[in-house]
Amino acid sequence: MGIETSCDETSAAVVEDGVNLLSNEVSSSVDLHAAYGGVVPEIAARSHLEVITPVIEKALKAAKTDWNDIDAIAVTQGPGLGGSLLIGVLTARMLAIAKNKPLYAVNHVEAHVYANFITESPLKNYKLPPAPPQFPLLALIVSGGHSQIAYFTDHFNYKLLGQTTDDAVGEAYDKVAKILGLPYPGGPSIEKLAPLGDPKAIKLPKARLQSAYDFSFSGPKTAVLRASQRLVGKDFTLPSTELPGLLNESQKADIAASFQFTTIDTLLDALEHAVHEYQPKSVVIAGGVAASSALRDQISKRISSDVQYADMKLCTDNGAMIASLGYFMSKHNQHTADPYSLDIAPNLSM
Ligand code: KG4
Ligand code: ZN
């Protein structure tokens, strides 16, 4: 049983042997946050509290199983929003004690990679890769909170090659969407508008960093803001909140297309470099931004290795990836957590 509550999705899933997806229930509070243009932590936490028990019960039912068949519980310990993590961790601790199951504390960012190990399922609505990835494995992890490139030689044996020095890529999508007056979450909104615009219309700089594997998305986000202010004939003192009303539809589409193209190009510069240097057996793209078809399209044009993607529903936050990593933790003798004392780790890193 995997339990995920790090941000605005409450999810529980049952996965067998780390690879067979028996159920994956997700309840999102995204609609409650849309009015604010981003996740409101207090609203997210309250929503987790309201739905966590029914979501877990639904996951057991959908998997046609009950607690007798569950071998262990895995829960997201971090990184994430404190209040949100607390609901998942306290629920998992309570269940581990009441049902007498071993408890595994999972790193959410690592777990995104494990969504790619899920390759079997009796569920019909999942498009899964034919086989799990192989080691050595190169992973590009791109989500609302994280942008990392990691090189795994085996389970639990990896090197972080690079990461963002400021904003995560999904966060930059969300902020640019706000500038354009597009609904939260920004990734899907920008992806929908981008095909109507010209990706070369607005020149956005790519940050030059010391390491070829590090990213910066704060600069490009500010460049979008400045370009938008210029397009409407104003200077940098114009508040960004006025831009959605001043930019016309074709300008918005050009900005969306240019931002999307440059952002993905920046990610692929690093990925391509790493593929050449490390010659991995498998390349996986993980995290919410991996749901982007534009990303998949640009990858197919630039990266010659076979790149593996999880089903879209397993790219964004879900309990299945937590359960899968929990399984591999148990298989590889990683230590269990104490259900009487496990604490959240909002700033946990890879
Ligand atoms: O992994 P995830 O569900 O949550 C975190 O762990 O952060 O990722 C959410 C992020 C959001 O920033 C959202 O804008 C982005 O993933 N996202 C996308 C797409 N779908 C979701 N970004 C680009 N294109 C998409 N189609
Ligand atoms: Zn995530």
Side-chain angles (χ1 to χ4, degrees):
M1 166 70 72
I3 299 173
E4 155 64 32
T5 64
S6 68
C7 190
D8 55 348
E9 263 99 33
T10 316
S11 181
V14 180
V15 174
E16 185 178 43
D17 296 344
V19 296
N20 188 14
L21 180 68
L22 299 182
S23 68
N24 184 42
E25 295 297 319
V26 182
S27 167
S28 178
S29 61
V30 67
D31 293 345
L32 303 177
H33 307 290
Y36 305 94
V39 174
V40 183
E42 291 80 0
I43 294 177
R46 193 183 320 155
S47 169
H48 287 305
L49 187 56
E50 280 167 6
V51 303
I52 183 115
T53 305
V55 164
I56 292 171
E57 278 168 4
K58 269 170 83 179
L60 283 171
K61 202 162 169 223
K64 301 188 177 61
T65 188
D66 59 33
W67 282 108
N68 294 322
D69 279 337
I70 299 294
D71 294 316
I73 300 172
V75 64
T76 301
Q77 184 189 21
L81 301 169
S84 291
L85 290 168
L86 206 51
I87 307 299
V89 165
L90 288 176
T91 305
R93 283 173 52 179
M94 182 266 295
L95 286 168
I97 294 166
K99 308 292 180 189
N100 194 24
K101 308 287 177 189
L103 178 64
Y104 289 91
V106 166
N107 179 321
H108 177 92
V109 188
E110 282 177 27
H112 269 299
V113 176
Y114 280 77
N116 292 277
F117 282 83
I118 296 169
T119 47
E120 297 164 29
S121 179
L123 307 174
K124 294 283 167 273
N125 53 339
Y126 282 81
K127 200 170 161 279
L128 302 172
Q134 289 180 293
F135 297 105
L137 172 139
L138 189 66
L140 175 68
I141 307 156
V142 277
S143 77
H146 307 279
S147 312
Q148 266 124 343
I149 291 196
Y151 179 68
F152 287 71
T153 48
D154 200 350
H155 293 289
F156 311 105
N157 201 345
Y158 64 75
K159 180 160 100 170
L160 193 59
L161 301 183
Q163 58 189 323
T164 181
T165 57
D166 41 58
D167 291 356
V169 57
E171 192 180 354
Y173 264 94
D174 295 338
K175 287 177 178 168
V176 167
K178 211 168 178 178
I179 293 173
L180 300 180
L182 301 175
Y184 173 84
S189 306
I190 287 182
E191 173 154 52
K192 213 162 108 197
L193 184 60
L196 307 176
D198 172 7
K200 299 265 151 56
I202 290 143
K203 195 114 195 74
L204 296 172
K206 284 201 247 173
R208 295 245 167 275
L209 299 168
Q210 265 183 348
S211 158
Y213 299 127
D214 282 339
F215 320 104
S216 160
F217 295 107
S218 164
K221 176 203 69 197
T222 308
V224 164
L225 177 61
R226 297 285 172 262
S228 306
Q229 289 162 329
R230 268 197 309 278
L231 280 175
V232 299
K234 304 280 183 182
D235 70 8
F236 68 93
T237 58
L238 179 78
S240 63
T241 46
E242 289 185 24
L243 283 165
L246 297 172
L247 289 162
N248 65 38
E249 289 313 306
S250 113
Q251 288 169 328
K252 285 183 187 175
D254 282 346
I255 294 167
S258 304
F259 169 76
Q260 178 172 263
F261 180 82
T262 311
T263 302
I264 294 173
D265 211 41
T266 307
L267 292 171
L268 296 196
D269 287 346
L271 185 65
E272 192 174 45
H273 201 280
V275 168
H276 280 143
E277 187 170 335
Y278 289 90
Q279 305 281 329
K281 274 207 180 116
S282 294
V283 179
V284 307
I285 316 291
V289 181
S292 161
S293 351
L295 175 73
R296 295 176 184 213
D297 190 48
Q298 275 172 247
I299 285 179
S300 69
K301 289 180 185 138
R302 277 190 67 176
I303 311 285
S304 51
S305 319
D306 207 14
V307 178
Q308 189 166 318
Y309 304 94
D311 184 275
M312 301 274 191
K313 296 182 284 302
L314 299 178
C315 287
T316 47
D317 290 347
N318 65 86
M321 66 187 196
I322 307 301
S324 176
L325 178 48
Y327 166 81
F328 286 103
M329 288 176 81
S330 75
K331 203 75 194 149
H332 291 260
N333 302 319
Q334 301 286 306
H335 63 82
T336 54
D338 180 352
Y340 289 94
S341 65
L342 176 66
D343 207 353
I344 57 169
N347 299 316
L348 192 66
S349 56
M350 278 189 87

